[in-house]
């Protein structure tokens, strides 16, 4: 499903309304434009002065929900209810006023959506006590459709919420709303919800990357492309639990020193790359250093030198031929060859 | 056929730590702590062990890391026959390359007395 092309939030209220009307008319030419305009006017007036967590005027949310619904060809009462779905809960506007102005059908949809919210909150509060009440599906399928669209817009703007809220909303989305959207035969919405929620639970919206995190993300670029993201994510998760700056820097620096070894290990199936990888890495880093120039270059070349050195040390430690060579040198110099502890007693 | 890893001392340490409880899962940082080896040494080793099929890795179950409010971890654990092969390899690695020739005793008073 394409994103509804709404005007930016900074645009005037009339632009938002015009954008919505265009979208609605495009999906369903027989739409009652006057009714939509009236619902928008009430919602805009009641939400006046309220803002979303993103800082956008609150009215952008009900309009976006209505836009999502318009795209799937929802009927007029559903679109009105979408525009008005938060006025009763969040503003002085009452359900009675809603009913007298828009009729019992729209009021019923808004009321049903609110009841669903209340039931979900109750279940959330009772979660873990073993007595969590089951949420009964509303009689009118359109109520569920409104909630699914509501959640879709909330998930699209999830990054503005605190992390704990993001996690809570994402879990609920996966557990309740994705199956609901699927049951409502809205595959595009259910898959977008699933994608957004899984991404938020995996790593998105985490803390801003630290210097160590950025260093690791950069270091991972020498790893084979298909597994790069995995190692990056694995290391960032480890960094996340390290409490002190010093421990994070140590962790990251050690990985950078061992990155040549890891690259060689991961590239091993292509044996030709084995010897070349450290040289390629050094060349790539040096070239990027030259391109950037200045202080950055100096730092980058320093890092490159360290990485190459670490790779060299690793090769020296491992290669049997090099070991024999070392022994030869030691013999020539008349010193005893280094003795390595070869093994430990079996467990 | 993949070749067995070189049984370097760090590799042996990692296997040893994991064999302490072969059925459980270990994450990278935990292996660093338990072996005392730097992170840059641990990851290439587990990568190699995974490559040859001794260990397998998977992302942490969402319910676990979410309740603790941190990003998901990558966990490593022995495959079905991985632990057995690791034990074998450790035992083989221990077998000294050269048996001490008989007749050349170790001139360590305490040791000779104990062995006699």
């Amino acid at each position: 499903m394409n994103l509804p092309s709404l005007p930016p939030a900074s645009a005037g209220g009339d632009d938002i309304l015009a954008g919505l009307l265009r979208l609605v008319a495009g999906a369903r030419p027989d739409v009652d434009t006057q009714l939509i305009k009236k619902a928008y006017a009430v919602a805009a007036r009641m939400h006046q002065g309220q803002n979303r967590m993103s800082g956008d005027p609150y009215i952008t949310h009900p309009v976006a929900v209505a836009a999502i619904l318009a795209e799937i060809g929802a009927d007029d009462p559903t679109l009105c209810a979408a525009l008005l779905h938060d006025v009763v809960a969040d503003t002085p506007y009452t359900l009675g006023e809603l009913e007298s102005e828009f009729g019992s059908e729209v009021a019923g949809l808004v009321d049903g959506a609110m009841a669903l919210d209340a039931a979900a909150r109750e279940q959330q509060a009772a979660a873990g006590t073993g007595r969590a009440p089951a949420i009964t599906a509303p009689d009118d399928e359109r109520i569920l459709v409104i909630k699914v669209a509501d959640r879709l817009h909330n998930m699209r703007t999830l990054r503005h919420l605190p992390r704990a809220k993001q996690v809570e909303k994402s879990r609920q989305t996966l557990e309740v709303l994705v199956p609901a959207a699927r049951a409502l035969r809205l595959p595009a919405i259910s898959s977008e919800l699933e994608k957004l929620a899984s991404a938020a639970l995996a790593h998105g919206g985490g803390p801003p990357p630290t210097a160590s995190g950025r260093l690791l993300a950069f270091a991972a670029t020498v790893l084979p492309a298909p597994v790069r993201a995995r190692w990056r994510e694995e290391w960032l998760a480890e960094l996340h639990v390290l409490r002190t700056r010093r421990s994070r820097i140590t962790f990251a620096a050690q990985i950078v020193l061992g990155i040549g070894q890891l690259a060689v290990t991961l590239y091993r199936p292509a044996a030709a790359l084995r010897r070349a990888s450290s040289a390629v890495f050094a060349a790539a880093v040096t070239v990027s250093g030259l391109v950037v120039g200045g202080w950055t270059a100096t730092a980058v070349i320093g890092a490159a030198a360290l990485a190459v050195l670490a790779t060299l040390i690793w090769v020296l430690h491992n290669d049997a031929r090099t070991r024999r060579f070392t022994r030869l040198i030691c013999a020539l110099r008349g010193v005893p060859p280094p003795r390595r502890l070869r093994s430990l007693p079996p467990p | 056929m993949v070749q067995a890893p070189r049984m370097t001392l760090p590799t042996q340490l990692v296997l040893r730590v994991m064999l302490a409880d072969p059925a459980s899962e270990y994450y990278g940082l935990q292996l660093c702590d338990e072996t005392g080896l730097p992170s840059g040494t641990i990851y290439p080793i587990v990568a190699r062990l995974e490559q040859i099929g001794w260990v397998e890795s998977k992302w942490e179950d969402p319910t676990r890391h979410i309740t603790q409010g941190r990003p998901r971890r990558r966990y490593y654990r022995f495959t079905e026959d991985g632990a057995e092969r690791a034990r074998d390899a450790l035992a083989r690695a221990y077998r000294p390359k050269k048996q001490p020739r008989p007749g050349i005793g170790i001139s360590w008073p305490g040791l000779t007395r104990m062995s006699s």
Side-chain angles (χ1 to χ4, degrees):
Chain A
M1 189 175 78
N2 293 322
L3 270 165
S5 46
L6 281 176
S10 54
D14 292 344
D15 289 350
I16 297 182
L17 177 61
L20 175 66
L21 287 176
R22 247 199 325 277
L23 199 72
V24 174
R28 216 162 39 77
D30 62 328
V31 68
D32 182 352
T33 315
Q34 290 313 313
L35 186 66
I36 303 293
K37 275 185 183 163
K38 188 172 145 201
Y40 172 83
V42 170
R45 195 177 71 237
M46 296 317 294
H47 289 303
Q48 184 85 51
Q50 295 179 337
N51 280 329
R52 294 274 288 168
M53 289 292 271
S54 60
D56 287 338
Y58 196 88
I59 187 66
T60 55
H61 170 64
V63 170
V65 175
I68 291 167
L69 291 167
E71 287 235 323
I72 57 174
D75 60 12
D76 292 344
T78 309
L79 295 178
C80 282
L83 284 169
L84 297 162
H85 78 271
D86 280 333
V87 283
V88 179
D90 298 345
T91 76
Y93 200 76
T94 65
L95 204 58
E97 288 174 83
L98 183 67
E99 189 166 355
S100 61
E101 271 193 78
F102 293 94
S104 57
E105 191 177 2
V106 173
L109 290 174
V110 172
D111 193 29
M114 279 173 17
L116 215 52
D117 283 344
R121 264 196 302 276
E122 206 174 303
Q123 196 188 39
Q124 195 79 21
T129 61
R131 289 193 310 272
I135 298 178
T136 45
D139 306 328
D140 194 333
E141 204 178 59
R142 292 176 297 176
I143 295 171
L144 215 48
V145 175
I146 292 171
K147 283 319 292 176
V148 165
D150 180 28
R151 180 55 62 95
L152 180 57
H153 183 243
N154 284 335
M155 291 303 292
R156 282 175 182 169
T157 53
L158 191 69
R159 61 185 180 283
H160 302 294
L161 292 187
R163 180 68 186 146
K165 276 275 173 205
Q166 291 185 12
V167 168
E168 185 192 320
K169 294 278 173 205
S170 300
R171 290 184 73 179
Q172 199 187 34
T173 299
L174 285 181
E175 285 164 15
V176 183
L177 288 130
V178 170
R182 211 171 285 142
L184 292 166
R185 290 175 303 284
L186 301 169
I189 291 183
S190 94
S191 75
E192 186 179 348
L193 279 174
E194 189 167 13
K195 217 179 294 165
L196 290 169
S198 319
L201 288 182
H203 44 86
T210 56
S212 307
R214 279 194 296 272
L215 175 63
L216 285 179
F218 173 71
T221 51
V222 301
L223 301 179
V227 296
R228 215 174 275 157
R230 170 227 148 143
W231 289 101
R232 204 174 277 169
E233 189 179 345
E234 177 168 356
W235 293 334
L236 291 184
E238 310 281 36
L239 274 185
H240 184 87
V241 295
L242 290 169
R243 283 286 145 247
T244 64
R245 190 178 150 80
R246 176 190 283 264
S247 62
R248 283 194 298 268
I249 289 175
T250 310
F251 179 83
Q254 286 168 348
I255 285 188
V256 170
L257 287 177
I259 198 93
Q261 188 177 346
L262 183 61
V264 170
T265 305
L266 295 172
Y267 278 117
R268 196 180 296 247
L273 278 169
R274 183 178 166 166
R275 304 251 170 228
S277 68
S278 64
V280 169
F281 177 46
V285 175
T286 313
V287 167
S288 65
L290 289 175
V291 170
V292 176
W295 275 108
T296 326
T298 320
V300 166
I301 291 170
L306 278 178
V308 171
L309 193 68
T311 314
L312 213 63
I313 290 172
W314 174 71
V315 171
L316 286 178
H317 275 213
N318 285 273
D319 201 322
R321 231 171 311 171
T322 320
R323 225 166 10 225
R324 279 202 295 277
F325 184 61
T326 317
R327 228 173 279 144
L328 180 71
I329 292 176
C330 290
L332 287 175
R333 290 178 56 201
V335 293
R339 288 181 70 89
R340 278 190 191 287
L341 185 51
R342 294 195 60 85
S343 62
L344 292 163
Chain B
M1 181 63 201
V2 279
Q3 79 189 81
R6 228 188 305 268
M7 293 302 276
T8 59
L9 191 60
T11 307
Q12 295 183 39
L13 277 171
V14 170
L15 290 177
R16 209 164 273 274
V17 163
M18 290 186 70
L19 280 171
D21 186 359
S24 74
E25 301 178 314
Y26 300 85
Y27 57 94
L29 197 60
Q30 180 186 11
L31 289 173
C32 293
D33 289 345
E34 293 190 15
T35 58
L37 293 171
S39 52
T41 307
I42 291 294
Y43 291 104
I45 291 174
V46 290
R48 181 79 185 118
L49 293 177
E50 185 174 9
Q51 224 169 35
I52 59 168
W54 287 15
V55 304
E56 57 194 356
S57 69
K58 63 171 169 51
W59 292 115
E60 190 173 12
D61 187 70
T63 50
R64 240 163 85 192
H65 68 86
I66 288 164
T67 46
Q68 293 175 35
R70 51 174 176 70
R72 58 181 180 170
R73 275 183 182 138
R74 189 88 182 178
Y75 272 103
Y76 299 88
R77 69 187 301 170
F78 278 119
T79 53
E80 221 165 284
D81 59 342
E84 203 45 52
R85 286 156 76 186
R87 248 183 238 114
D88 283 356
L90 277 180
R92 269 200 310 278
Y94 179 61
R95 194 174 302 143
K97 282 263 154 78
K98 285 173 191 154
Q99 296 292 336
R101 251 177 285 163
I104 302 177
I106 306 160
S107 53
W108 203 325
L111 205 65
T112 9
R113 206 175 306 132
M114 260 159 58
S115 58
S116 61

